[in-house]
PDB file of all heavy atoms in Angstrom:
ATOM      1  N   VAL C 380      -4.401   1.379  -1.104  1.00 84.00           N
ATOM      2  CA  VAL C 380      -3.945   0.417  -2.065  1.00 84.00           C
ATOM      3  C   VAL C 380      -4.373   0.887  -3.477  1.00 84.00           C
ATOM      4  O   VAL C 380      -5.675   1.069  -3.651  1.00 84.00           O
ATOM      5  CB  VAL C 380      -4.470  -1.039  -1.821  1.00 84.00           C
ATOM      6  CG1 VAL C 380      -4.110  -1.968  -3.064  1.00 84.00           C
ATOM      7  CG2 VAL C 380      -3.767  -1.654  -0.672  1.00 84.00           C
ATOM      8  N   THR C 381      -3.661   1.057  -4.444  1.00 80.00           N
ATOM      9  CA  THR C 381      -3.982   1.445  -5.888  1.00 80.00           C
ATOM     10  C   THR C 381      -3.713   0.440  -6.811  1.00 80.00           C
ATOM     11  O   THR C 381      -2.811  -0.477  -6.611  1.00 80.00           O
ATOM     12  CB  THR C 381      -3.269   2.728  -6.185  1.00 80.00           C
ATOM     13  OG1 THR C 381      -1.938   2.472  -6.517  1.00 80.00           O
ATOM     14  CG2 THR C 381      -3.512   3.860  -5.246  1.00 80.00           C
ATOM     15  N   MET C 382      -4.335   0.561  -7.932  1.00 70.00           N
ATOM     16  CA  MET C 382      -4.025  -0.436  -9.137  1.00 70.00           C
ATOM     17  C   MET C 382      -2.556  -0.270  -9.337  1.00 70.00           C
ATOM     18  O   MET C 382      -1.973  -1.277  -9.731  1.00 70.00           O
ATOM     19  CB  MET C 382      -4.902   0.070 -10.255  1.00 70.00           C
ATOM     20  CG  MET C 382      -5.105  -0.890 -11.386  1.00 70.00           C
ATOM     21  SD  MET C 382      -5.893  -2.365 -10.640  1.00 70.00           S
ATOM     22  CE  MET C 382      -7.231  -2.615 -11.710  1.00 70.00           C
ATOM     23  N   ARG C 383      -1.920   0.874  -9.248  1.00 68.00           N
ATOM     24  CA  ARG C 383      -0.732   1.044  -9.631  1.00 68.00           C
ATOM     25  C   ARG C 383       0.336   0.221  -8.643  1.00 68.00           C
ATOM     26  O   ARG C 383       1.260  -0.445  -9.227  1.00 68.00           O
ATOM     27  CB  ARG C 383      -0.251   2.618  -9.538  1.00 68.00           C
ATOM     28  CG  ARG C 383       0.749   2.958 -10.585  1.00 68.00           C
ATOM     29  CD  ARG C 383       1.108   4.468 -10.389  1.00 68.00           C
ATOM     30  NE  ARG C 383       0.014   5.375 -10.681  1.00 68.00           N
ATOM     31  CZ  ARG C 383       0.042   6.752 -10.177  1.00 68.00           C
ATOM     32  NH1 ARG C 383       1.059   7.200  -9.564  1.00 68.00           N
ATOM     33  NH2 ARG C 383      -0.912   7.506 -10.582  1.00 68.00           N
ATOM     34  N   ASP C 384      -0.062   0.257  -7.424  1.00 70.00           N
ATOM     35  CA  ASP C 384       0.780  -0.562  -6.470  1.00 70.00           C
ATOM     36  C   ASP C 384       0.772  -1.988  -6.759  1.00 70.00           C
ATOM     37  O   ASP C 384       1.817  -2.676  -6.788  1.00 70.00           O
ATOM     38  CB  ASP C 384       0.201  -0.519  -5.033  1.00 70.00           C
ATOM     39  CG  ASP C 384       0.099   0.869  -4.478  1.00 70.00           C
ATOM     40  OD1 ASP C 384       1.143   1.609  -4.739  1.00 70.00           O
ATOM     41  OD2 ASP C 384      -0.681   1.281  -3.725  1.00 70.00           O
ATOM     42  N   LEU C 385      -0.456  -2.530  -7.204  1.00 65.00           N
ATOM     43  CA  LEU C 385      -0.556  -3.951  -7.573  1.00 65.00           C
ATOM     44  C   LEU C 385       0.187  -4.345  -8.744  1.00 65.00           C
ATOM     45  O   LEU C 385       0.800  -5.437  -8.845  1.00 65.00           O
ATOM     46  CB  LEU C 385      -2.024  -4.329  -7.549  1.00 65.00           C
ATOM     47  CG  LEU C 385      -2.767  -4.171  -6.136  1.00 65.00           C
ATOM     48  CD1 LEU C 385      -4.073  -4.710  -6.229  1.00 65.00           C
ATOM     49  CD2 LEU C 385      -1.948  -4.922  -5.109  1.00 65.00           C
ATOM     50  N   VAL C 386       0.130  -3.441  -9.685  1.00 58.00           N
ATOM     51  CA  VAL C 386       0.825  -3.848 -11.018  1.00 58.00           C
ATOM     52  C   VAL C 386       2.323  -3.827 -10.738  1.00 58.00           C
ATOM     53  O   VAL C 386       3.036  -4.685 -11.283  1.00 58.00           O
ATOM     54  CB  VAL C 386       0.503  -2.687 -12.058  1.00 58.00           C
ATOM     55  CG1 VAL C 386       1.511  -2.751 -13.351  1.00 58.00           C
ATOM     56  CG2 VAL C 386      -0.962  -2.818 -12.655  1.00 58.00           C
ATOM     57  N   ARG C 387       2.743  -2.876  -9.872  1.00 61.00           N
ATOM     58  CA  ARG C 387       4.221  -2.798  -9.506  1.00 61.00           C
ATOM     59  C   ARG C 387       4.548  -4.189  -8.802  1.00 61.00           C
ATOM     60  O   ARG C 387       5.611  -4.904  -9.156  1.00 61.00           O
ATOM     61  CB  ARG C 387       4.577  -1.752  -8.472  1.00 61.00           C
ATOM     62  CG  ARG C 387       5.876  -1.136  -8.804  1.00 61.00           C
ATOM     63  CD  ARG C 387       6.136   0.059  -7.772  1.00 61.00           C
ATOM     64  NE  ARG C 387       5.817  -0.348  -6.345  1.00 61.00           N
ATOM     65  CZ  ARG C 387       5.071   0.403  -5.516  1.00 61.00           C
ATOM     66  NH1 ARG C 387       4.443   1.448  -5.984  1.00 61.00           N
ATOM     67  NH2 ARG C 387       4.967  -0.044  -4.326  1.00 61.00           N
ATOM     68  N   ILE C 388       3.802  -4.804  -7.853  1.00 62.00           N
ATOM     69  CA  ILE C 388       4.116  -6.034  -7.241  1.00 62.00           C
ATOM     70  C   ILE C 388       4.004  -7.137  -8.196  1.00 62.00           C
ATOM     71  O   ILE C 388       4.867  -8.028  -8.219  1.00 62.00           O
ATOM     72  CB  ILE C 388       3.000  -6.133  -6.159  1.00 62.00           C
ATOM     73  CG1 ILE C 388       3.285  -5.205  -4.957  1.00 62.00           C
ATOM     74  CG2 ILE C 388       3.085  -7.638  -5.521  1.00 62.00           C
ATOM     75  CD1 ILE C 388       2.169  -5.191  -3.997  1.00 62.00           C
ATOM     76  N   ALA C 389       3.051  -7.022  -9.123  1.00 53.00           N
ATOM     77  CA  ALA C 389       3.028  -8.133 -10.108  1.00 53.00           C
ATOM     78  C   ALA C 389       4.276  -8.255 -10.818  1.00 53.00           C
ATOM     79  O   ALA C 389       4.776  -9.240 -11.243  1.00 53.00           O
ATOM     80  CB  ALA C 389       1.809  -7.997 -11.024  1.00 53.00           C
ATOM     81  N   GLN C 390       4.711  -7.064 -11.279  1.00 48.00           N
ATOM     82  CA  GLN C 390       5.992  -7.002 -12.004  1.00 48.00           C
ATOM     83  C   GLN C 390       7.187  -7.577 -11.324  1.00 48.00           C
ATOM     84  O   GLN C 390       7.968  -8.357 -11.674  1.00 48.00           O
ATOM     85  CB  GLN C 390       6.280  -5.628 -12.556  1.00 48.00           C
ATOM     86  CG  GLN C 390       5.428  -5.212 -13.721  1.00 48.00           C
ATOM     87  CD  GLN C 390       5.502  -3.714 -14.051  1.00 48.00           C
ATOM     88  OE1 GLN C 390       6.047  -3.002 -13.096  1.00 48.00           O
ATOM     89  NE2 GLN C 390       4.890  -3.282 -15.102  1.00 48.00           N
ATOM     90  N   ILE C 391       7.186  -7.117 -10.014  1.00 46.00           N
ATOM     91  CA  ILE C 391       8.323  -7.611  -9.151  1.00 46.00           C
ATOM     92  C   ILE C 391       8.320  -9.190  -8.920  1.00 46.00           C
ATOM     93  O   ILE C 391       9.245  -9.907  -9.139  1.00 46.00           O
ATOM     94  CB  ILE C 391       8.263  -6.954  -7.704  1.00 46.00           C
ATOM     95  CG1 ILE C 391       8.591  -5.463  -7.792  1.00 46.00           C
ATOM     96  CG2 ILE C 391       9.305  -7.548  -6.748  1.00 46.00           C
ATOM     97  CD1 ILE C 391       8.282  -4.730  -6.650  1.00 46.00           C
ATOM     98  N   GLN C 392       7.115  -9.650  -8.765  1.00 49.00           N
ATOM     99  CA  GLN C 392       6.940 -11.158  -8.537  1.00 49.00           C
ATOM    100  C   GLN C 392       7.308 -11.912  -9.725  1.00 49.00           C
ATOM    101  O   GLN C 392       8.002 -12.772  -9.595  1.00 49.00           O
ATOM    102  CB  GLN C 392       5.491 -11.497  -8.173  1.00 49.00           C
ATOM    103  CG  GLN C 392       5.169 -11.087  -6.719  1.00 49.00           C
ATOM    104  CD  GLN C 392       4.018 -11.880  -6.186  1.00 49.00           C
ATOM    105  OE1 GLN C 392       3.350 -12.591  -6.965  1.00 49.00           O
ATOM    106  NE2 GLN C 392       3.843 -11.906  -4.891  1.00 49.00           N
ATOM    107  N   SER C 393       6.887 -11.458 -10.917  1.00 43.00           N
ATOM    108  CA  SER C 393       7.260 -12.214 -12.099  1.00 43.00           C
ATOM    109  C   SER C 393       8.805 -12.128 -12.377  1.00 43.00           C
ATOM    110  O   SER C 393       9.407 -13.097 -12.989  1.00 43.00           O
ATOM    111  CB  SER C 393       6.498 -11.831 -13.360  1.00 43.00           C
ATOM    112  OG  SER C 393       7.004 -10.457 -13.703  1.00 43.00           O
ATOM    113  N   MET C 394       9.483 -11.126 -11.871  1.00 42.00           N
ATOM    114  CA  MET C 394      10.941 -11.131 -12.004  1.00 42.00           C
ATOM    115  C   MET C 394      11.744 -11.952 -11.028  1.00 42.00           C
ATOM    116  O   MET C 394      12.809 -12.345 -11.271  1.00 42.00           O
ATOM    117  CB  MET C 394      11.525  -9.737 -11.830  1.00 42.00           C
ATOM    118  CG  MET C 394      10.928  -8.618 -12.857  1.00 42.00           C
ATOM    119  SD  MET C 394      11.475  -9.191 -14.542  1.00 42.00           S
ATOM    120  CE  MET C 394      13.204  -8.937 -14.327  1.00 42.00           C
ATOM    121  N   ALA C 395      11.035 -12.153  -9.896  1.00 45.00           N
ATOM    122  CA  ALA C 395      11.683 -12.811  -8.748  1.00 45.00           C
ATOM    123  C   ALA C 395      11.977 -14.198  -9.069  1.00 45.00           C
ATOM    124  O   ALA C 395      11.505 -14.818 -10.029  1.00 45.00           O
ATOM    125  CB  ALA C 395      10.815 -12.870  -7.506  1.00 45.00           C
ATOM    126  N   HIS C 396      12.926 -14.929  -8.329  1.00 51.00           N
ATOM    127  CA  HIS C 396      13.202 -16.255  -8.580  1.00 51.00           C
ATOM    128  C   HIS C 396      11.993 -17.100  -8.130  1.00 51.00           C
ATOM    129  O   HIS C 396      11.249 -16.703  -7.313  1.00 51.00           O
ATOM    130  CB  HIS C 396      14.215 -16.749  -7.510  1.00 51.00           C
ATOM    131  CG  HIS C 396      14.813 -18.036  -7.787  1.00 51.00           C
ATOM    132  ND1 HIS C 396      14.217 -19.233  -7.280  1.00 51.00           N
ATOM    133  CD2 HIS C 396      15.834 -18.565  -8.522  1.00 51.00           C
ATOM    134  CE1 HIS C 396      14.832 -20.334  -7.822  1.00 51.00           C
ATOM    135  NE2 HIS C 396      15.824 -19.896  -8.544  1.00 51.00           N
ATOM    136  N   PRO C 397      11.685 -18.158  -9.004  1.00 47.00           N
ATOM    137  CA  PRO C 397      10.425 -18.814  -8.913  1.00 47.00           C
ATOM    138  C   PRO C 397      10.201 -19.370  -7.513  1.00 47.00           C
ATOM    139  O   PRO C 397       9.014 -19.456  -7.119  1.00 47.00           O
ATOM    140  CB  PRO C 397      10.596 -20.127  -9.870  1.00 47.00           C
ATOM    141  CG  PRO C 397      11.697 -19.819 -10.778  1.00 47.00           C
ATOM    142  CD  PRO C 397      12.537 -18.723 -10.152  1.00 47.00           C
TER     143      PRO C 397
END
Side-chain angles (χ1 to χ4, degrees):
V380 170
T381 69
M382 200 60 128
R383 216 184 291 163
D384 295 329
L385 295 184
V386 168
R387 215 180 53 229
I388 289 168
Q390 282 166 350
I391 292 167
Q392 283 205 344
S393 68
M394 295 298 290
H396 188 275

